[in-house]
Amino acid sequence: MENPIQHQNPTQGPKPSFLQSNTAKMIMVGMLTLFLLIPLTLVQSLVRERSERKNEVVFDVNESWGSEIHFYGPILKIPYKTYTETAIVDEKSRETIIQKNASIQNAYFFPNDLENKTTVEKVDDIKRGLYNPIVFKANMKFSGSFQDVAFEKLNIKSEDILWDKATILVKTTNLKSIKSDLKIVLNKKNYSLESKADEDNYFGTLETETFTYKSGEKIDFNFNMNYNGSNSIQFIPVGKTTVSSINANWDSPSFIGSFAANDTTKEITNENFHADWKILHINRPFSQQYDNKIPDLKNYSYGVKLIETVDQYQQNERASKYGFLVIGLTFLIFFLIQTISKKSIHIFQYTMIGLALIMFYTLLISITEHSSFTIAYAIAASAVIIMLLLYSISVLKEKKFPLFICASLIVLYSFIFVIIQLENYALLVGSVGLFLILGAIMYFSRKIDWNN
C-alpha cells in the first residue's frame, strides 16, 4: 500500500520558533527589566549612604561650632524658708514635743515685659570636605523689667523671704558656644552670669551673684548674648508680654514652634528675612511664678529653622525612584522600533542599554557632590543620551530611528526632572505625563501585527 503524499503549500515558509516570536522577546525584555532592579537598588543604597555620610559630617561640624539654640529667661529667683513640723514623744515624761525644722526653697518669677531683638548671620566659609553645613552667628539683645512680684500667689509669707539672696537665672542650650561677655544690667548695675550645675538635662543654667531685692521694687534689665549656632534658634515666651524680632541673611526660613510669626510684618526675600512675634501671657498655658521648681517649658517655644529648600541627596533619591520607569519606557521604545523596522536587537544589546541607563544615576550622584543638582542632571542625561544615540545607530544601521530614540529620551529625562523639582503638583503632573506617554505608545503601536 502506498503512503499518501503530503503536499506543502509553497507560499508558506517554515513556522518561526517560539524564541523568535514577539511574545518570547517581550518576556526576555521584561525579565531583563526586573533584573536591572538589582543594580538600581544598589544605586539607591549608595544615595542613602552618601546622605548619611553628609549628616554625620554636618553633625560633627555642628557639635564643634555650635548646636541648635533654645533660650528662655531671664528669671528672678528668690529663696524663702519653709517649715516642717515633727512630733517627738519624750520617753520619760511621755510629753509630745513639736519640733519645727526650716529648709530653703526657691521662688521663681518671670518678667513682666520682655523684648528680644535677634540678628542671625549665616556663615558660609565653614566647610568640611564636600559638605557645607548650615551654621550661623546670632546676636541677641534682651531688655525688659520685673515688677508686681506676687509672693502671695505662692502662699509665701513676707517674713520667710530671704530678700538679700535674690539672683537672676538664664536657661539656654549650647552653653559652650556663647561668645560674649556674660553680664546683665539690673537697674544700671552690672552683674556677671556664671554657669551653674542644674538637674535640668536639656537646658544649661547661668546665674548671677546674689543681690538684695526690695518688696515691690521694679527691676529694669538688659543684656546681650552672642552665639555660634546651627540649624535653628528658638525662644520661650516667659514675659507677661513678650515681643521678639529676628532678622537673618537667609532666604528659606521655616517658622517653627507653638506661636506663629506676625503675618503683617513678616518679610522673606531672595537674600534675607524678617519676622516679629508678640505673645501675651494669656496665649500660653503656664504661669508667671513658680515655687520650688520651674516646669518643663521647652514645648512652648517659637522661632525659626534655617533650612535647605532642596536637599541634593533627596533629589537624587527621588530621581532613582523613577529608574524603573525610565528603563521600562526606554526598552519599550527600542522594542517598538525593533518590531516596526524588522531590525533584530539581541538581548545582550538590551543589557548594554539598561546598564547605560543605570550609569546615569551614578554619574548624577558623583557630579552633584561637586556641583548643583541641575547641572549634574544635565551633564549625566546628556552623556547617557549621546551614548545611546551612537549605540543605536551602530545597532540599527541607520539614523532615522536612533534620532527618534534620542528625542524620546530627551523628553523622558526632561519629564522626570520637572517632576523632581515640583512638590505640590508632582503627583498631578506625573499622572498626566504618564497618561500622555501611554497614549503615545498606543498610537504608535496600533498597526503592529502582534500575531506575526
Side-chain angles (χ1 to χ4, degrees):
M1 183 176 180
E2 296 180 357
N3 293 328
I5 299 175
Q6 296 180 351
H7 299 280
Q8 185 176 9
N9 189 346
T11 60
Q12 289 183 342
K15 186 176 181 181
S17 65
F18 175 75
L19 293 177
Q20 296 177 334
S21 65
N22 287 330
T23 302
K25 293 177 181 179
M26 290 178 65
I27 293 173
M28 288 188 288
V29 172
M31 291 179 64
L32 176 61
T33 304
L34 294 175
F35 177 77
L36 289 173
L37 288 179
I38 297 175
L40 187 61
T41 302
L42 295 176
V43 169
Q44 293 174 346
S45 298
L46 177 62
V47 174
R48 288 190 291 269
E49 178 186 339
R50 301 298 292 179
S51 179
E52 291 172 0
R53 171 59 181 162
K54 175 190 174 183
N55 293 335
E56 291 174 359
V57 171
V58 169
F59 178 79
D60 290 341
V61 172
N62 292 350
E63 282 296 299
S64 60
W65 171 266
S67 57
E68 298 178 337
I69 299 172
H70 207 163
F71 182 98
Y72 75 97
I75 304 161
L76 177 61
K77 170 186 168 184
I78 303 179
Y80 65 94
K81 293 180 180 179
T82 184
Y83 300 93
T84 57
E85 295 181 348
T86 305
I88 300 176
V89 179
D90 189 281
E91 294 182 356
K92 294 181 179 180
S93 63
R94 296 296 178 181
E95 293 181 354
T96 301
I97 302 173
I98 303 300
Q99 185 175 3
K100 197 173 184 181
N101 299 314
S103 61
I104 304 298
Q105 301 286 353
N106 295 307
Y108 301 93
F109 301 93
F110 294 153
N112 190 70
D113 55 273
L114 174 63
E115 183 177 1
N116 163 32
K117 296 181 179 180
T118 298
T119 302
V120 178
E121 181 182 356
K122 185 177 182 294
V123 179
D124 293 318
D125 56 356
I126 303 298
K127 193 172 183 180
R128 181 76 62 84
L130 299 172
Y131 312 112
N132 192 9
I134 299 175
V135 295
F136 57 80
K137 294 181 179 179
N139 178 19
M140 303 188 299
K141 297 180 180 180
F142 297 89
S143 61
S145 65
F146 293 95
Q147 62 183 112
D148 302 327
V149 176
F151 283 97
E152 64 275 6
K153 292 184 179 180
L154 301 176
N155 297 318
I156 300 174
K157 297 179 181 179
S158 177
E159 59 269 21
D160 295 331
I161 301 171
L162 304 178
W163 300 99
D164 60 339
K165 301 296 183 182
T167 58
I168 295 293
L169 300 179
V170 168
K171 296 277 192 176
T172 180
T173 60
N174 200 17
L175 285 176
K176 68 178 183 180
S177 297
I178 297 176
K179 300 302 179 182
S180 59
D181 189 16
L182 299 179
K183 292 185 181 295
I184 183 170
V185 179
L186 305 176
N187 288 343
K188 299 182 180 180
K189 293 183 179 179
N190 289 325
Y191 294 86
S192 297
L193 287 161
E194 295 183 0
S195 180
K196 300 291 184 180
D198 201 325
E199 61 184 13
D200 194 326
N201 294 325
Y202 183 76
F203 287 101
T205 301
L206 299 172
E207 187 173 7
T208 66
E209 63 266 33
T210 59
F211 62 91
T212 300
Y213 176 76
K214 298 178 182 179
S215 179
E217 179 185 13
K218 179 183 177 182
I219 300 178
D220 294 316
F221 64 83
N222 65 80
F223 63 100
N224 298 343
M225 296 193 76
N226 296 326
Y227 280 92
N228 286 348
S230 60
N231 293 325
S232 70
I233 181 168
Q234 299 180 70
F235 304 96
I236 296 175
V238 294
K240 193 171 185 180
T241 300
T242 302
V243 178
S244 295
S245 67
I246 298 179
N247 291 280
N249 60 340
W250 185 254
D251 61 348
S252 55
S254 174
F255 298 103
I256 56 179
S258 302
F259 305 95
N262 190 335
D263 286 333
T264 58
T265 60
K266 183 169 60 178
E267 296 180 4
I268 302 175
T269 68
N270 293 331
E271 297 180 354
N272 50 56
F273 73 85
H274 169 84
D276 294 306
W277 288 263
K278 184 176 182 180
I279 304 167
L280 306 178
H281 69 287
I282 59 174
N283 303 137
R284 33 151 242 219
F286 57 88
S287 177
Q288 280 294 111
Q289 55 277 319
Y290 290 95
D291 61 346
N292 193 26
K293 185 179 180 181
I294 302 173
D296 185 1
L297 302 177
K298 62 177 175 288
N299 292 328
Y300 307 110
S301 60
Y302 65 94
V304 65
K305 183 176 183 180
L306 307 184
I307 61 172
E308 289 181 301
T309 53
V310 178
D311 186 290
Q312 295 178 340
Y313 288 107
Q314 289 180 353
Q315 289 184 314
N316 273 273
E317 187 173 2
R318 291 181 64 186
S320 65
K321 289 179 179 179
Y322 292 102
F324 180 76
L325 176 65
V326 173
I327 294 171
L329 289 177
T330 304
F331 280 177
L332 183 58
I333 292 171
F334 273 91
F335 182 79
L336 291 177
I337 289 175
Q338 168 185 289
T339 305
I340 293 172
S341 65
K342 306 300 181 181
K343 302 284 186 178
S344 177
I345 302 178
H346 195 271
I347 192 66
F348 175 81
Q349 294 168 325
Y350 275 106
T351 304
M352 294 296 101
I353 295 169
L355 292 177
L357 296 173
I358 296 294
M359 284 298 300
F360 164 78
Y361 299 100
T362 58
L363 286 173
L364 181 62
I365 298 167
S366 58
I367 300 174
T368 299
E369 292 184 335
H370 300 274
S371 181
S372 68
F373 178 81
T374 301
I375 295 175
Y377 193 96
I379 294 174
S382 300
V384 171
I385 291 173
I386 293 172
M387 177 183 286
L388 292 180
L389 172 64
L390 298 176
Y391 189 67
S392 58
I393 290 174
S394 175
V395 170
L396 299 175
K397 308 300 182 182
E398 60 176 79
K399 294 183 179 180
K400 174 184 174 183
F401 288 115
L403 290 176
F404 175 78
I405 293 171
C406 178
S408 301
L409 289 175
I410 292 174
V411 172
L412 180 58
Y413 277 113
S414 300
F415 170 64
I416 298 298
F417 180 79
V418 170
I419 294 178
I420 293 172
Q421 300 303 311
L422 295 175
E423 294 182 3
N424 298 329
Y425 297 98
L427 179 60
L428 175 62
V429 174
S431 300
V432 173
L434 289 177
F435 180 80
L436 296 176
I437 290 172
L438 177 61
I441 294 171
M442 294 173 67
Y443 175 80
F444 287 110
S445 63
R446 71 192 188 281
K447 294 183 179 181
I448 298 177
D449 184 3
W450 296 104
N451 294 321
N452 295 315

